[in-house]
């Protein structure tokens, strides 16, 4: 995938190969849930659960690369997570900082392209600088794309896309009747990679929670009771096996 070039709609949607019975998805997206419960069950502060969550993220990124995924997206901080206590928000920022600082060299060497999905407004300048560094350093890598959804919300992403398209209409370059699915998809933060064929949520919750709401139109879902800090290679493999057994028809028969 060329960096920065929006994929045409037909290339972004699930293709026959990744939808065939027994196939492996190109893109898996994960809602990493259950850090707080994991910590609580150990009589530890929630922050410790998030710290253990970073270790699970490391295991999962490595496994995703070994299993040949093209794209792995992880939901690390949602636009709704600002409602958490300031200390927990700051802790999640600190974890992003330490993850990028400690893992960037290794991820770059492994050929992982890093992209951070979400609104930049509201993020501290040093985080913005780190994001720019990680994205620039790894832009030409092709082994796998790791998308970190941070300060991300699917509705906010759609709002931003609608605003961008409305500006183009106002400037006279776009006829409202020419607005279609392809134009909207190209206006989203995810324009450069295919939609997820599989979305996994840990901790037993069965909700999308404003994650990739446009891009999940045809996604399969796997919900596992495993709490995110316990998640690892075997759980990812189990989710891929479950996906391989699903029949995907995309509205056809
Ligand atoms: C949900 O668990 C998890 C989050 C809101 C944060 C996810 C973050 C990580 C896994 C680590 C951060 C990684 C980076 C790269 C910044 P929860 O706290 O809602 O758990 P609970 O439902 O059990 O309370």
């Amino acid at each position: 995938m060329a960096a920065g070039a929006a994929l045409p709609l037909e290339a972004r949607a699930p293709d026959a190969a990744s939808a065939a019975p027994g196939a492996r998805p190109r893109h898996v997206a994960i809602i990493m849930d259950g850090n707080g419960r994991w910590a609580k069950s150990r009589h530890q502060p929630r922050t410790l659960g998030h710290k253990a969550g970073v270790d699970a993220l490391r295991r999962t990124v490595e496994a995703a690369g070994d299993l040949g995924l093209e794209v792995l997206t992880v939901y690390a901080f949602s636009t709704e997570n600002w409602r958490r206590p300031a200390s927990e928000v700051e802790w999640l920022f600190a974890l992003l900082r330490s993850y990028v600082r400690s893992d960037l060299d290794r991820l770059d060497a492994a050929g992982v392209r890093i992209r951070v999905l979400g609104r930049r407004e509201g993020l501290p300048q040093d985080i913005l600088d780190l994001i720019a560094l990680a994205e620039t350093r790894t832009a030409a890598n092709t082994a796998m794309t790791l998308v970190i959804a941070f300060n991300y919300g699917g509705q906010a992403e759609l709002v931003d896309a609608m605003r961008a398209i409305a500006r183009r209409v106002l400037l006279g370059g776009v006829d409202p009747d020419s607005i279609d699915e392809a134009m909207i998809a190209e206006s989203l933060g995810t324009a450069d990679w295919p939609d997820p064929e599989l979305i996994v949520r840990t901790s037993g919750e069965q909700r999308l929670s404003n994650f990739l709401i446009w891009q999940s139109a045809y996604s399969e879902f796997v919900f596992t009771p495993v709490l995110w800090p316990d998640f690892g290679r075997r759980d990812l493999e189990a989710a891929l096996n479950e996906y391989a057994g699903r029949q995907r028809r995309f509205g056809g028969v």
Side-chain angles (χ1 to χ4, degrees):
M1 281 178 288
L7 287 182
L9 193 65
E10 58 278 10
R12 192 174 307 110
D15 61 15
S18 62
R24 179 153 289 174
R26 298 167 68 191
H27 179 180
V28 175
I30 305 183
I31 302 174
M32 309 183 287
D33 197 8
N35 296 348
R37 277 161 284 170
W38 185 91
K40 193 173 175 200
S41 71
R42 286 165 174 73
H43 309 289
Q44 300 283 349
R46 295 176 54 79
T47 45
L48 211 84
H50 295 316
K51 188 164 182 284
V54 177
D55 294 332
L57 175 62
R58 288 197 177 96
R59 290 195 295 274
T60 306
V61 171
E62 192 177 329
D66 293 346
L67 292 164
L69 297 189
E70 260 179 55
V71 186
L72 175 72
T73 298
V74 291
Y75 204 5
F77 186 81
S78 76
T79 45
E80 287 69 39
N81 286 153
W82 289 102
R83 297 184 195 135
R84 296 189 177 207
S87 56
E88 184 170 341
V89 170
E90 189 43 57
W91 181 263
L92 289 166
F93 286 0
L95 285 180
L96 180 68
R97 282 185 192 102
S98 70
Y99 178 68
V100 173
R101 285 190 189 127
S102 64
D103 287 41
L104 180 56
D105 284 348
R106 204 175 38 78
L107 291 168
D108 188 27
V112 175
R113 176 173 72 140
I114 299 172
R115 295 291 297 269
V116 177
L117 176 68
R119 279 194 175 152
R120 297 300 194 253
E121 299 93 80
L123 297 180
Q125 188 57 47
D126 73 304
I127 294 241
L128 296 176
D129 294 344
L130 265 181
I131 291 173
L133 171 75
E135 290 190 331
T136 312
R137 273 251 322 257
T138 62
N141 290 346
T142 56
M144 186 179 83
T145 299
L146 170 63
V147 181
I148 302 172
F150 200 89
N151 199 21
Y152 174 79
Q155 292 181 341
E157 184 188 32
L158 279 164
V159 166
D160 292 344
M162 298 310 141
R163 287 178 180 162
I165 293 173
R167 275 186 214 104
R168 291 171 62 193
V169 171
L170 271 179
L171 289 171
V174 169
D175 172 358
D177 287 334
S178 71
I179 298 171
D180 58 6
E181 289 86 343
M183 188 184 292
I184 293 173
E186 282 164 21
S187 306
L188 300 174
T190 51
D192 298 348
W193 52 87
D195 291 339
E197 295 96 336
L198 172 62
I199 294 182
V200 177
R201 182 168 189 152
T202 59
S203 88
E205 306 292 343
Q206 303 193 1
R207 292 186 293 281
L208 197 48
S209 299
N210 203 12
F211 187 46
L212 301 177
I213 51 179
W214 172 276
Q215 300 86 343
S216 60
Y218 289 102
S219 302
E220 294 289 326
F221 290 84
V222 168
F223 300 104
T224 168
V226 174
L227 302 176
W228 175 252
D230 291 327
F231 195 89
R233 180 177 301 258
R234 282 172 58 176
D235 304 294
L236 180 61
E237 282 172 350
L240 294 180
N241 287 339
E242 194 169 333
Y243 172 86
R246 303 263 175 97
Q247 258 210 337
R248 310 183 69 217
R249 291 194 292 271
F250 310 110
V253 289

